[in-house]
């Protein structure tokens, strides 16, 4: 009987130690919608940085500083809000899914614009009179 109590006590202690402490809601928590917008902009800035970092450097744009300025937040507020939402996986997932939907919509629109431009260019090329590729004959001079 005594060993059962010891076993139960040990299981209780182990279960308490394995429980992750949930992060308290920060005073200056960024809203879920605002976080989704921030993650969207972070994705755009990261893509721009990975595509052509020279342009960002030329215009003195640093990704996180841009985000902080645009949203009127600081790094502490962002990190605290990010940690808070990360400790709540369902909310965090929702925020990321909202950002992802917006990114996918932008990609789809860009692809549609690209396809429209390609069709317009094809129509324009087809409607232009074709120049002959043959050798042009020079009129003979009569002396």
């Amino acid at each position: 009987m005594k060993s059962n109590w010891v076993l139960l006590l040990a299981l209780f202690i182990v279960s308490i130690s394995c429980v992750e402490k949930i992060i308290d809601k920060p005073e200056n928590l960024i809203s879920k919608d605002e976080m989704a917008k921030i993650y969207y902009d972070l994705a755009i800035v990261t893509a721009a940085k990975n595509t052509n970092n020279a342009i960002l450097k030329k215009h003195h744009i640093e990704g996180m500083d841009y985000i902080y300025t645009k949203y009127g937040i600081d790094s502490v507020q962002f990190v605290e809000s990010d940690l808070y939402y990360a400790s709540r996986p369902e909310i965090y997932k929702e925020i990321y899914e909202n950002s992802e939907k917006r990114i996918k919509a932008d990609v789809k629109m860009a692809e549609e614009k690209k396809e429209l431009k390609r069709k317009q260019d094809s129509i324009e090329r087809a409607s232009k009179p074709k120049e002959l590729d043959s050798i042009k004959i020079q009129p003979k001079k009569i002396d």
Side-chain angles (χ1 to χ4, degrees):
M1 183 74 154
K2 188 175 181 183
S3 65
N4 286 342
W5 281 105
V6 172
L7 181 62
L8 284 174
L9 181 62
L11 284 173
F12 178 72
I13 292 172
V14 168
S15 66
I16 289 176
S17 65
C18 293
V19 173
E20 191 175 320
K21 182 181 177 187
I22 298 204
I23 296 173
D24 295 330
K25 184 176 180 178
E27 289 181 24
N28 56 357
L29 180 68
I30 300 168
S31 71
K32 291 189 306 185
D33 292 336
E34 198 79 358
M35 284 298 282
K37 291 175 186 176
I38 290 170
Y39 290 140
Y40 168 83
D41 284 341
L42 276 172
I44 299 299
V45 168
T46 301
K49 188 175 184 178
N50 291 335
T51 302
N52 195 344
N53 196 28
I55 292 174
L56 295 176
K57 285 183 180 181
K58 178 180 175 184
H59 295 286
H60 308 290
I61 297 173
E62 202 288 306
M64 290 311 294
D65 288 342
Y66 169 77
I67 299 296
Y68 299 147
T69 302
K70 179 175 180 178
Y71 291 96
I73 60 174
D74 61 26
S75 60
V76 174
Q77 184 181 7
F78 174 73
V79 169
E80 287 177 349
S81 296
D82 189 49
L83 285 172
Y84 173 76
Y85 289 124
S87 72
R88 287 152 177 80
E90 288 301 316
I91 297 173
Y92 210 50
K93 181 181 175 186
E94 180 185 335
I95 291 169
Y96 270 96
E97 285 173 346
N98 289 340
S99 297
E100 184 180 35
K101 284 179 192 174
R102 189 170 168 200
I103 291 167
K104 285 181 178 180
D106 285 353
V107 168
K108 183 179 179 185
M109 185 178 9
E111 288 171 350
E112 289 170 355
K113 284 182 178 181
K114 187 177 179 180
E115 180 62 19
L116 180 62
K117 174 81 169 126
R118 187 191 65 76
K119 286 179 181 178
Q120 288 173 339
D121 289 348
S122 295
I123 292 169
E124 187 177 311
R125 279 193 307 272
S127 65
K128 283 185 179 178
K130 296 187 180 199
E131 293 184 24
L132 298 175
D133 290 336
S134 62
I135 300 173
K136 294 184 181 180
I137 301 174
Q138 299 281 333
K140 291 184 178 180
K141 291 185 183 178
I142 303 177
D143 291 321

